[in-house]
Amino acid sequence: MSLDEDARWLEWVTKQFESIAGEDKEIDLEEFKTALKVKESFFAERFFALFDSDGSSSISLDELLKALDLLIHGSETDKLKFLFQVYDVDGSGSIDPDELRTVLKSCLRESAISLPEEKLDDLTLALFESADKDSSGSITFEELKAELENFPEVMENLTISAANWLKPPDVEQRRRQTPRYLTPAYWHNNSRKLLFLCAYACLSLLLFTGAMLQHRHGGVWYMVAKGCGQCLNFNCTFVMVLMLRRCLTWLRATWVVRVLPLDQNILLHQIVGYAILCYTLLHTTAHVINFVLLVRGEHTNYSLCDYLLTTQPGIGWVKGTASVTGVVLQGIIWLMVLCSSTVVRRSGHFEVFYWSHLSYVWVWSLLVVHCANFWKWFVVPGLVFLLEKMVGIAVSHIGGLYIVEVNLLPSKVTHLVIKRPQFFHFKPGDYVYINIPDIAKYEWHPFTISSAPEQSDTLWLHIRSMGQWTNRLYEYFRQPESRATSPKRLATSLRARRQLMKAQGSEPILDNPKFCNIKCYVDGPYGTPTRQIFASEHAVLIGAGIGITPFASILQSIMYRYRRRKQNCPNCHYSWCENIKDSEMKLRKVDFIWINRDQKSFEWFVSLLTKLEMDQADEEPEGRFLEMHMYMTSALSKNDMKAIGLQMALDLLAKKEKRDSITGLRTRTQPGRPEWAKVFQKVSEEKKGKVHVFYCGSPALAKIIKAQCEHFGFNFYKENF
């Protein structure tokens, strides 16, 4: 740092210290814990003791600045000495196995990782035996330094969260950057959507202008009302067209998908919905002003209330009901928009959104009565919509569909196994609407199919308990000796068939299955952006939490096709993969990234991932075909001093046992969040062909990943339904 930067840093630290220390100008242990934001008091106490150079049981500003200066600006040796002192609990000048175990146990608690005591012993011994070069039974400073040199990424990030807490904001981060929406990369990667929105805006403007000119004899506000009315005729029909799921699924298999943004239909549906709300407000406001002007002009015997709330003035083509139906429509549209907000849908009240959205039937019915010309816009799309609904009802009720097996998995995930009908054909990543009368007679909910199309006998759904319906489903099957779990003919038949499949290794083994025979109805399947995965050369699949479910089907389907390329030596267990051209699958490389908050969230899907790892060949012509990357966000990252020892021990034990201690997979679970710039840089350098990134998870993370994809020129697809 320069002298000016040092001065600014000192001023920043002083202000932060004064805001925390208060009047006594000292920080005690409790204040220090709060500032450091540590979960485990062991590290706070160790850091506090080392910062408190005079042993006064409090830290002054001078003591804090001196310690932080050492951690931020000190040499590698200075930082290593501090780390060694943290681990040397008794101050003897060396670290014995029990001290190391104590530190690692605290590291596990700080990172919210739960491991058996035996595994903790294994971690301790793995790190201790690696560091204790002379087998003296203790680790000296020189031995710890030599061990850390095997982990170069640790050396450059040797700091603690307190340093980041007191560091001044980066000057470069405060500079105003060009908004993402104005960058050439954004316009290039979103060209179809932007062109479509431009065409939509131009058409709306054309309709608005045409209607205004057609009614220019009625005054300005009358023209505005008619212009908005014409736009509402179009939008109230177009909003339905965007939700013709069967038509859109069919169009995804044609050339149209390369021209129109079919994968953005949900976003466009929302945009049109908000446009309807705006047009409705402006349309109503313009008519109210017209009525006010009429009443004030003394050319009528009716009051404003008569115009708005009665049929007496005779406005409208059906017995003067235009004003009354307009008021009712205003209320229904507001209700639908409010109940479809993210707050309602994501807060476990999906039923509110579902039932309020069924009001579209009333909206269209009232619009036919309200406007003389609406039926002309509505008749053709309305018939297609009606046909879709009739086909959906017919398909969902043809034959008897039954849930034949249920597995209650960690993280409150319900795994449903449904007897698959012969006529049911789907693509990896597709979703269905399911109705289970025993849970709710009239409710249909969308879920991604998690089984592969090649799995011909059954259909899988993995459903996480996040709302009222999903919680009722989980609790229903959790009941002991429930009537739902009595074995029936189909369940018995399926059990024998599944055991045969498990013996042949074609299906992952599931724990504690409950066999049952529960009636259900399925509407679908419906296509998603992931249908394009097999047309890409390098696919990056990113799932956050339960967002893995669409990729479960995709990964299984990929591995079914991969097995056709895999060759095994008849005389030994060695396997290799031939580079065969496949018209159905152009994939040369798949990177699967799964991000979870805690350790337990990995448990429910580990059996499938383990099997996918085992299916990999020992040798492949272009390198490993499927690479997995697991991230646990609650675990402290390697650049945090409180996690350095643990992450080193986990690395060493993973190399020794050839599997990760957290998940049991061969793939090592990485702590913290992915550094997307580095992840995509590595993907770009592999040069396996055009990269397509498929994401399913929270919208906030989607924005971050999409911005990085635009920077690297990758195609980005987000799961929506």
Side-chain angles (χ1 to χ4, degrees), residues 565 576-582 587-588 620-622:
R565 303 179 180 183
W576 70 96
C577 182
E578 294 183 351
N579 192 4
I580 303 172
K581 296 288 185 181
D582 189 345
L587 281 171
R588 296 168 58 194
E620 302 183 40
E622 297 182 354

Side-chain angles (χ1 to χ4, degrees), residues 75 108 229 664:
S75 64
L108 287 171

Side-chain angles (χ1 to χ4, degrees), residues 206-403:
L206 185 65
L207 290 172
F208 186 86
T209 306
M212 284 185 69
L213 294 175
Q214 188 178 352
H215 298 87
R216 56 184 177 272
H217 61 276
V220 175
W221 290 109
Y222 185 73
M223 292 166 64
V224 170
K226 287 299 182 180
C228 291
Q230 187 75 320
C231 289
L232 282 168
N233 285 335
F234 165 67
N235 281 276
C236 289
T237 303
F238 187 52
V239 75
M240 170 183 59
V241 172
L242 292 169
M243 297 309 293
L244 295 173
R245 297 186 182 90
R246 292 184 185 279
C247 293
L248 293 175
T249 299
W250 174 73
L251 286 173
R252 279 191 173 95
T254 68
W255 59 269
V256 177
V257 74
R258 296 192 294 271
V259 179
L260 298 178
L262 300 181
D263 298 332
Q264 303 284 335
N265 70 303
I266 298 294
L267 174 64
L268 297 173
H269 176 79
Q270 293 170 341
I271 291 172
V272 174
Y274 286 119
I276 289 172
L277 180 65
C278 294
Y279 285 130
T280 302
L281 284 172
L282 192 54
H283 177 74
T284 303
T285 303
H287 271 313
V288 169
I289 293 174
N290 273 328
F291 294 152
V292 170
L293 294 175
L294 282 172
V295 172
R296 286 183 178 178
E298 298 181 355
H299 296 300
T300 178
N301 296 322
Y302 300 109
S303 66
L304 181 61
C305 288
D306 292 334
Y307 276 113
L308 293 176
L309 304 175
T310 71
T311 60
Q312 294 177 17
I315 301 173
W317 75 301
V318 180
K319 297 184 179 180
T321 56
S323 295
V324 177
T325 54
V327 171
V328 176
L329 281 165
Q330 183 80 245
I332 295 175
I333 290 170
W334 267 105
L335 177 68
M336 291 179 69
V337 171
L338 290 175
C339 292
S340 63
S341 64
T342 305
V343 176
V344 174
R345 288 184 292 109
R346 303 287 181 184
S347 61
H349 296 90
F350 180 84
E351 290 82 359
V352 175
F353 160 75
Y354 175 79
W355 287 109
S356 64
H357 241 58
L358 290 180
S359 302
Y360 65 75
V361 177
W362 291 106
V363 171
W364 291 333
S365 301
L366 289 169
L367 280 170
V368 171
V369 176
H370 179 78
C371 176
N373 293 318
F374 177 71
W375 70 271
K376 300 174 184 177
W377 292 83
F378 180 76
V379 62
V380 174
L383 287 173
V384 176
F385 180 83
L386 182 62
L387 182 62
E388 271 215 359
K389 285 294 180 183
M390 291 173 64
V391 170
I393 293 171
V395 169
S396 64
H397 287 76
I398 289 176
L401 285 187
Y402 290 89
I403 300 170

Side-chain angles (χ1 to χ4, degrees), residues 672-692:
R673 291 173 170 79
E675 295 184 44
W676 295 111
K678 291 183 179 180
V679 170
F680 289 143
Q681 181 64 42
K682 182 176 178 293
V683 169
S684 180
E685 290 171 355
E686 290 181 359
K687 300 187 183 303
K688 295 288 186 180
K690 182 65 176 175
V691 178
H692 295 251

